[in-house]
Amino acid sequence: MSDEQEADVNEEEETQTEEGLQEGNFISLDYTARTAEDEDLVDTTSEEVAEEEGIEAEDREFGPRTIVLGAGHIFEDVEEDIYGKEAGDEGTVSVEQAFGEYDNEQVRTISADKIGEDDRYPGARVNVDGQQGYVETIIGGRARVDFNHPLAGEDIEYDYEIVEEVEDAEEKAKGLFSMYIDADLDMWIETDEVEEEVEDEDGETETETVEKETLYIEATPQLSMNQQWMFQKQQIAQDVIDRLDLDRVIVQETIDGAGAGMMGMGGMGGMGGADLEEALEDADIDEDELVEELEADDEAEEVEE
């Protein structure tokens, strides 16, 4: 093949690739990932597959996931395989050492006092000085902890199907939030007219009405008490604003009259102790830590571009 013919072929392949899905596209994706060596299930969007593996599906919502290509929501090797394809296409990708190489230096011996008494047994998942690990052995006052990712060094076989390209803005927003927060959130987009003060060419301030594309999110206890949302709400909201070309995100809480006169102990606004305890447990929040964060965090829950 001559250089000219090879150049034509490369140009044709590039043109074909650009016609399909590309970076920045939102897609709905079904997938199942297993370890290549033992075929152990790593993750799946299929409830049927989960049940076959004996995984309880009660507390998890199955179904296609909305992701953004190029945003790091899936393995880079899988993204590269999807580029240029269309809805309905399928693929299988082998991702080498998907969760990094296994590092023997990440297996360390520490004082058992750094581990809670309830977690002092082999296999326990622990957090030591902000680092996640798994207990290998405990002998006397010493513990051997592996701080590698549980799948470090493993190759992953990733089977996927592109269900559809997502065009609806609200579905895109829900997909983005699901990357950060495991909660069923009610959200919608409206075009608001907002009064703003602006400076004219002479430096004088005047008020004008501007339109703002706004994503509204109905607050829930699970959202309010979610640690990632508490610590990263600005970054999460800004990501949604940038990717969906919005002007702002508003998180709002609605309190209706149905609970009037049903104050719980300590004035919990109708949320009884059992309900609050259940919400805290669902969100995996330490009560004392929550109180400290709420006292320290006095920022308004509105993010604007």
Side-chain angles (χ1 to χ4, degrees):
M1 181 183 296
S2 67
D3 292 342
E4 184 176 346
Q5 289 175 320
E6 186 175 353
D8 290 339
V9 170
N10 291 337
E11 183 177 350
E12 182 178 352
E13 290 178 348
E14 184 177 344
T15 301
Q16 291 175 347
T17 300
E18 291 177 351
E19 290 177 352
L21 293 166
Q22 296 298 313
E23 182 176 337
N25 289 151
F26 285 72
I27 63 171
S28 178
L29 192 72
D30 260 328
Y31 64 83
T32 294
R34 299 178 182 272
T35 58
E37 184 175 352
D38 301 322
E39 297 187 356
D40 293 331
L41 183 65
V42 175
D43 193 14
T44 184
T45 58
S46 169
E47 185 173 3
E48 182 180 353
V49 171
E51 290 178 348
E52 289 174 354
E53 295 289 336
I55 297 174
E56 294 185 8
E58 293 182 1
D59 298 329
R60 175 172 173 180
E61 185 175 336
F62 289 90
R65 289 178 62 188
T66 298
I67 65 168
V68 187
L69 293 176
H73 294 161
I74 54 176
F75 297 117
E76 184 177 352
D77 290 347
V78 180
E79 285 184 330
E80 291 295 334
D81 196 68
I82 290 175
Y83 289 145
K85 292 186 175 180
E86 299 177 349
D89 287 345
E90 301 178 1
T92 298
V93 181
S94 179
V95 185
E96 295 184 5
Q97 298 187 0
F99 296 93
E101 297 182 7
Y102 189 86
D103 185 357
N104 290 320
E105 294 185 2
Q106 290 299 313
V107 183
R108 302 195 295 272
T109 299
I110 64 172
S111 170
D113 292 338
K114 290 191 173 185
I115 301 174
E117 291 185 7
D118 294 339
D119 294 326
R120 294 177 187 174
Y121 61 90
R125 183 180 180 182
V126 295
N127 186 310
V128 180
D129 298 332
Q131 191 174 7
Q132 296 286 341
Y134 291 82
V135 178
E136 285 191 344
T137 59
I138 288 188
I139 301 176
R142 310 294 287 174
R144 188 77 170 165
V145 180
D146 187 349
F147 291 102
N148 284 287
H149 188 283
L151 294 172
E154 294 269 12
D155 295 342
I156 303 298
E157 289 290 331
Y158 197 103
D159 296 318
Y160 71 84
E161 178 185 359
I162 305 166
V163 178
E164 63 178 349
E165 184 174 358
V166 179
E167 302 288 355
D168 182 77
E170 291 178 9
E171 288 302 314
K172 290 180 178 181
K174 290 179 180 179
L176 283 172
F177 266 88
S178 71
M179 295 294 115
Y180 299 102
I181 300 169
D182 184 17
D184 186 16
L185 301 175
D186 186 15
M187 59 182 67
W188 63 97
I189 295 175
E190 293 183 4
T191 301
D192 296 335
E193 291 189 349
V194 180
E195 297 284 329
E196 280 194 349
E197 291 187 350
V198 296
E199 285 190 2
D200 59 22
E201 295 179 355
D202 299 326
E204 296 183 0
T205 301
E206 59 181 22
T207 301
E208 65 177 31
T209 301
V210 297
E211 290 187 345
K212 291 200 172 187
E213 287 296 303
T214 304
L215 173 66
Y216 285 92
I217 302 172
E218 190 71 26
T220 64
Q222 287 75 22
L223 175 64
S224 301
M225 298 173 186
N226 181 280
Q227 285 185 319
Q228 188 163 10
W229 175 249
M230 289 169 62
F231 297 133
Q232 295 183 290
K233 66 178 68 175
Q234 178 73 37
Q235 297 93 315
I236 295 172
Q238 192 63 53
D239 184 38
V240 175
I241 287 171
D242 293 341
R243 293 190 183 279
L244 298 185
D245 195 23
L246 300 172
D247 294 305
R248 59 183 184 170
V249 171
I250 294 179
V251 181
Q252 64 180 25
E253 181 179 15
T254 300
I255 302 175
D256 59 33
M262 297 175 61
M263 298 290 287
M265 290 185 63
M268 292 305 296
M271 176 178 281
D275 293 333
L276 178 60
E277 183 177 347
E278 182 178 349
L280 288 170
E281 183 177 345
D282 289 342
D284 192 21
I285 294 290
D286 180 86
E287 294 180 50
D288 294 333
E289 182 179 335
L290 174 62
V291 171
E292 293 178 3
E293 291 302 326
L294 290 177
E295 289 176 347
D297 185 10
D298 193 26
E299 65 181 82
E301 288 196 331
E302 176 175 331
V303 179
E304 295 197 32
E305 187 175 29

